[in-house]
Structure formats: structure tokens, C-alpha cells
Amino acid sequence: MTTESTRRVAVVTGASGRIGRHVVDLLAGRGYAVRGLDLVPGPHTLACDLADEEAVRAGVGDLQRLDLLVLCAGLSAIGTIDDHDLATHRRVMDGTHFSAVGPLLGTLPALRRARGRVVLVGSVAGFAPVLGRPAYVAAKHAVTGLFTALRPELAAQGVRVTIVHPTFVAGGMGVADPAGPGGRTTTGEEITPEQVAHAIVEAAEGRRDVVLVGRTARLAWTASRHAPRIYTTLMTRRLRARTGDTP
């Protein structure tokens, strides 16, 4: 882990995860000095409760400048509104929303000094309703709304914000309630963690505010804005068809 370097410096959260570890490798290959943060430690990754602002500050406090902050951490929950209690909703919010807010607050001084960039990994669930994971949809809407609202505020301070919205990623992600109903469903094609990681790194060096990864993400973005009722009807039918549920 590099504390002082003439190279560009990046911090990646969720760095031990399926997407995060690919992001770390790609950024290192492009010459970044990379520091990972995650609940689970690993190579170039510090153990850190990302929802704890002070823990994040302790993990990055020696960084004098930060060119790139990539926020990959996230936690889901599969089921209906009846399947999860309030504690599960809070765990998902901590693992998805506050695990982005904490690292942002902890690194803002270094980002401002470098006039750096923040890349948030969003989701189709962050801008459109997705059946079968209400806690996750709520958390992704919250974090997407926050960083969208912060974009002009941070731009005035020299910090750019990009949100990358992938469609369903093969293999799924960590869940807040492993004993819950499960039965993960998707609609449309799945993309690989490697594809998402490449999109994140390209976004970090591009100029776009929003990046949609995968055909389903692009279709959902358009349909949910211009024909929301049709989008909801089609999405519900396709998900139910995959699980065998009747309308």
C-alpha cells in the first residue's frame, strides 16, 4: 500500500468483492497506486467498516491527495416486503448507502486537493423499480439520489462524480439475510464482473456523468423514463415468468 507516490492514487471500496478486485487489478495495471477498503482484508486491501466514517478516515488518513475514489461496496436482500424485518433493511442501507457516504466523507479533503473523481457503482435498481428486492432498491435509490445531487456541488470544488449503472451481474452479490427466501431472479442478459470493472475504469478516465452497462440497463433507463407503466408491466411479467409465479 502506497502512502506517497508520484503516481495517480486510487481508493476502491468493496475491493475484496467480485467487481472490486478486478477494478483494483485494472487500475494498478494503468499505473495507479491503489488502496482497497473492505470488511474482508486481502492483498492491497485494509479491513474497514465502510459505514463508519472514523474507520474510513483511519484507513486513508495518510493520503495527501486522491485522484480517484471508486465505490463498489454493496449489499442486497432478496424477497418481498414481508420477507425482511427492519434490521435487514438497515443492514442493506449500511452496506449500500452508508458504505458509500462514509468513504466519500473520509476522502473529500484529499479528493479536493487532487481535483479528483468519484465513481459510484449504481444499478438498474438505483433508477427504476426492480421486483423482488425492495430493501436493495431503496438503498440504491438513496445512494444514487445523493450522488446525483452532489454532482454540481462537488464540481464547483473541482471533484467530478460519475455513476455507473450495470444490469444484473452474473453470480449475484452478498445478501444481508442469507437465511432469507433467496431465489435470485434476473430479467434480460447478465454481464460479468470483469465487464463491469472495465466499464468503471473507462468511466474513471472519461467525461460522462452516467454510464449504462449492458443492453438491459440501457433499455430500462429509457423505458422507465418515457414509458414507466410499460416498463413496470414488462419487468414484472418477465421476472414472474422466470420464477414460475402467476400474475
Side-chain angles (χ1 to χ4, degrees):
M1 289 171 288
T2 303
T3 56
E4 293 184 10
S5 174
T6 57
R7 294 185 292 166
R8 292 178 294 178
V9 180
V11 168
V12 179
T13 71
S16 296
R18 294 164 52 256
I19 295 173
R21 62 176 179 260
H22 290 298
V23 173
V24 169
D25 290 342
L26 289 171
L27 290 175
R30 295 197 180 197
Y32 282 85
V34 185
R35 178 172 304 188
L37 301 176
D38 206 325
L39 281 174
V40 180
H44 306 292
T45 302
L46 293 171
C48 180
D49 180 355
L50 298 171
D52 184 335
E53 181 183 349
E54 293 306 314
V56 174
R57 290 188 190 280
V60 301
D62 59 329
L63 292 179
Q64 296 304 305
R65 59 188 296 272
L66 181 60
D67 300 279
L68 176 63
L69 172 64
V70 181
L71 301 166
C72 289
L75 190 65
S76 187
I78 308 301
T80 70
I81 191 64
D82 296 309
D83 290 321
H84 300 119
D85 59 12
L86 188 57
T88 300
H89 282 261
R90 286 185 173 132
R91 285 195 294 273
V92 174
M93 192 64 73
D94 273 347
T96 301
H97 177 66
F98 291 114
S99 286
V101 179
L104 176 68
L105 294 175
T107 59
L108 261 179
L111 281 165
R112 291 184 180 118
R113 284 192 289 268
R115 300 181 69 82
R117 180 190 292 267
V118 180
V119 178
L120 171 72
V121 180
S123 169
V124 171
F127 63 78
V130 176
L131 188 71
R133 56 204 79 199
Y136 181 64
V137 171
K140 277 297 186 183
H141 268 68
V143 74
T144 298
L146 173 65
F147 279 77
T148 301
L150 286 176
R151 185 179 288 124
E153 176 183 332
L154 295 181
Q157 303 168 20
V159 178
R160 296 197 62 178
V161 173
T162 297
I163 303 177
V164 175
H165 292 296
T167 186
F168 295 98
V169 180
M173 61 187 299
V175 295
D177 184 11
R184 176 177 182 264
T185 56
T186 65
T187 176
E189 94 285 18
E190 290 185 310
I191 56 179
T192 66
E194 293 88 343
Q195 286 175 296
V196 180
H198 277 282
I200 290 167
V201 173
E202 292 300 321
E205 300 185 349
R207 300 184 60 84
R208 295 167 64 186
D209 292 338
V210 176
V211 176
L212 304 170
V213 189
R215 180 173 178 268
T216 297
R218 294 189 292 271
L219 290 174
W221 179 271
T222 300
S224 64
R225 278 157 174 72
H226 299 291
R229 287 190 178 182
I230 293 175
Y231 161 81
T232 301
T233 299
L234 291 175
M235 180 268 303
T236 302
R237 285 177 179 172
R238 295 187 71 172
L239 286 176
R240 283 177 171 164
R242 285 172 178 257
T243 60
D245 292 341
T246 56

